[in-house]
Amino acid sequence: QGLNPKCDIQDHGSNLQVFHVYSPCSPFKPSKPLSWEEDVLQTLAKDQARVQFLSSLVAKKSVVPIASGRQIVQSPTYIVKANIGTPPQPMLMAMDTSSDAAWVPCTGCIGCSSTAFDFAKSTTFRTLGCQAAQCKQVPNPTCGGSACAFNMTYGGSTIAGNLSQDTITLATDPIPNYTFGCLQKTAGSSVPPQGVLGLGRGPLSLLSQSQNLYQSTFSYCLPSIRSPNFSGSLRLGPSGQPVRIKYTPLLKNPRRPSLYYVNLIGIRVGRRIVDIPPSAIAFNPSTGAGTIIDSGTVFTRLVEPAYVAVRDAFRRRVRVANVTSLGGFDTCYSVPINAPTITFMFSGMNVTLPQENLLLHSTAGSITCLAMASAPALNVIANMQQQNHRVVFDVPNSRMGVARERCS
């Protein structure tokens, strides 16, 4: 993978280090550094595609959704190292809480741009046949040969591969016979170069496949986008999770069983609760509207009426007349500002975000933007707003907890 030697820290126990896709430790960082504006605009464009994808999973009242909840080609932002096969081959995989399956580029893949997994060198690798139960759990399975093949589309991209099994080792824990997609072909610009590790709640996700090992419990701390090394962590299993932490219930949406819905009941800007129409943040299992926690979207999105109310309250508190915009951000300032905190109020817990989780500053320091935008149909609490917090997903007790933790 050509990692910088400083970056090659060994994972231990059930703790995996997490690093940002553009950090100096990442082989996926842009070959020439982008200017701050280019970086923000590119990230925003990729984010837009993901938010549209997540929103497409929310049905309008009269429409029955046919998009598969397991279409997994989105723009992921945080990466962990997994070892696949016997002997183990290190692969970097993107953490994605809104998808289930794991997949990696395999040798001979047409259109894959990253290090491929050489399945011929693994003594424990096997391709699953069409009769395997897992074959019914992938989108559009086809059975031309003996292998269970699948293909899916997302945005302008398509991916195709075979359903396979091998040992996957996370930190020091081997999980034998792990089912994942071995990619044979990709086309389009929204396919992430590395593999994806799905942390959703569906049948092919890591939680379901390692139930006896980790009891469907994990947490992560995401380092800042600018953090230079593998400083965040993905902690698998109930042991070692924070003891003093407030929780909010996880909600189940039968239409989108994989997504982590939570009950957002209000938003404060500074000390004042913003006047938001209740329907903008209400959880609605029949349409899929509501609020999800997502590790793969970068900037938090609120549905239009909620976003406008929060943004206007923020602008009133900042009291600077000249508001400019940058790409999809409509609340930017070219003078130094004193920004209020923003508090997300969930059933049972409040999460107050300091400036570092709310503001984007240009490298020259001349522009500052509120790092949120509006969304079509779904509120998404995204990873910039989660940075330097430990986020715990306790699925058996159907709850999610958040505590401040420096991990940059």
Side-chain angles (χ1 to χ4, degrees):
Q1 299 276 353
L3 284 179
N4 165 343
K6 271 208 194 82
C7 302
D8 205 13
I9 301 166
Q10 292 306 304
D11 291 314
H12 56 276
S14 302
N15 270 321
L16 282 84
Q17 290 155 73
V18 174
F19 71 111
H20 190 269
V21 69
Y22 291 157
S23 81
C25 284
S26 169
F28 307 111
K29 63 181 183 290
S31 47
K32 60 176 204 297
L34 297 172
S35 76
W36 179 78
E37 281 81 359
E38 282 174 318
D39 186 25
V40 166
L41 295 177
Q42 259 188 36
T43 303
L44 204 58
K46 284 186 177 156
D47 232 20
Q48 195 62 35
R50 182 179 176 95
V51 168
Q52 271 163 349
F53 167 76
L54 290 170
S55 295
S56 75
L57 302 182
V58 176
K60 303 292 176 283
K61 286 190 176 60
S62 57
V63 181
V64 178
I66 49 174
S68 162
R70 288 197 280 293
Q71 284 174 298
I72 47 174
V73 202
Q74 295 129 26
S75 158
T77 335
Y78 285 95
I79 303 170
V80 294
K81 191 165 69 181
N83 284 305
I84 304 181
T86 313
Q89 298 175 38
M91 297 293 293
L92 295 172
M93 300 177 82
M95 274 177 29
D96 190 345
T97 55
S98 293
S99 67
D100 293 330
W103 48 262
V104 292
C106 282
T107 312
C109 174
I110 300 160
C112 288
S113 57
S114 178
T115 307
F117 169 60
D118 190 347
F119 54 89
K121 288 191 176 149
S122 171
T123 55
T124 41
F125 176 85
R126 67 192 186 105
T127 301
L128 289 181
C130 294
Q131 70 299 334
Q134 292 91 330
C135 195
K136 296 187 182 65
Q137 294 166 353
V138 291
N140 315 319
T142 50
C143 283
S146 53
C148 174
F150 63 89
N151 61 73
M152 41 180 127
T153 57
Y154 165 63
S157 301
T158 54
I159 66 174
N162 292 328
L163 203 57
S164 309
Q165 278 189 339
D166 207 333
T167 298
I168 185 167
T169 303
L170 296 171
T172 50
D173 302 329
I175 307 169
N177 307 319
Y178 196 90
T179 303
F180 65 97
C182 191
L183 294 194
Q184 306 297 308
K185 193 175 178 184
T186 73
S189 58
S190 35
V191 179
Q194 68 288 58
V196 162
L197 184 63
L199 293 170
R201 295 193 259 190
L204 283 179
S205 74
L206 174 66
L207 297 199
S208 300
Q209 294 200 55
S210 62
Q211 190 114 36
N212 51 1
L213 191 58
Y214 301 131
Q215 286 107 53
S216 297
T217 304
F218 69 95
S219 71
Y220 55 66
C221 183
L222 303 177
S224 141
I225 285 184
R226 302 202 188 289
S227 167
N229 49 17
F230 251 124
S231 57
S233 64
L234 169 63
R235 194 174 288 157
L236 298 162
S239 71
Q241 301 299 359
V243 184
R244 294 176 56 183
I245 187 169
K246 286 207 167 95
Y247 285 97
T248 187
L250 283 171
L251 306 177
K252 272 212 169 58
N253 173 7
R255 285 174 179 273
R256 300 285 156 240
S258 314
L259 300 181
Y260 291 106
Y261 279 88
V262 284
N263 191 14
L264 178 65
I265 51 177
I267 299 175
R268 274 201 317 246
V269 171
R271 295 197 184 134
R272 185 170 290 181
I273 296 179
V274 179
D275 190 12
I276 295 171
S279 61
I281 53 175
F283 173 61
N284 183 340
S286 67
T287 62
T291 303
I292 66 164
I293 301 283
D294 179 44
S295 67
T297 305
V298 183
F299 304 116
T300 287
R301 308 296 175 114
L302 300 171
V303 296
E304 189 87 23
Y307 172 69
V308 169
V310 169
R311 175 200 72 188
D312 292 352
F314 180 88
R315 288 178 179 178
R316 281 196 299 274
R317 277 293 305 268
V318 170
R319 293 196 192 95
V320 169
N322 59 338
V323 177
T324 58
S325 63
L326 175 70
F329 295 121
D330 62 7
T331 302
C332 299
Y333 300 91
S334 50
V335 294
I337 61 164
N338 193 4
T341 56
I342 292 183
T343 302
F344 290 113
M345 303 163 71
F346 301 100
S347 310
M349 100 181 159
N350 289 345
V351 177
T352 297
L353 299 178
Q355 295 199 6
E356 64 173 88
N357 293 84
L358 297 174
L359 301 180
L360 277 175
H361 302 284
S362 67
T363 10
S366 54
I367 300 176
T368 301
C369 295
L370 173 64
M372 293 186 191
S374 69
L378 186 65
N379 300 303
V380 181
I381 309 285
N383 63 41
M384 180 181 169
Q385 282 64 46
Q386 297 174 50
Q387 286 166 17
N388 289 314
H389 287 78
R390 169 78 45 194
V391 184
V392 182
F393 295 84
D394 175 356
V395 176
N397 295 306
S398 203
R399 59 186 191 164
M400 183 205 82
V402 180
R404 286 299 301 272
E405 181 180 316
R406 289 304 276 163
C407 60
S408 292

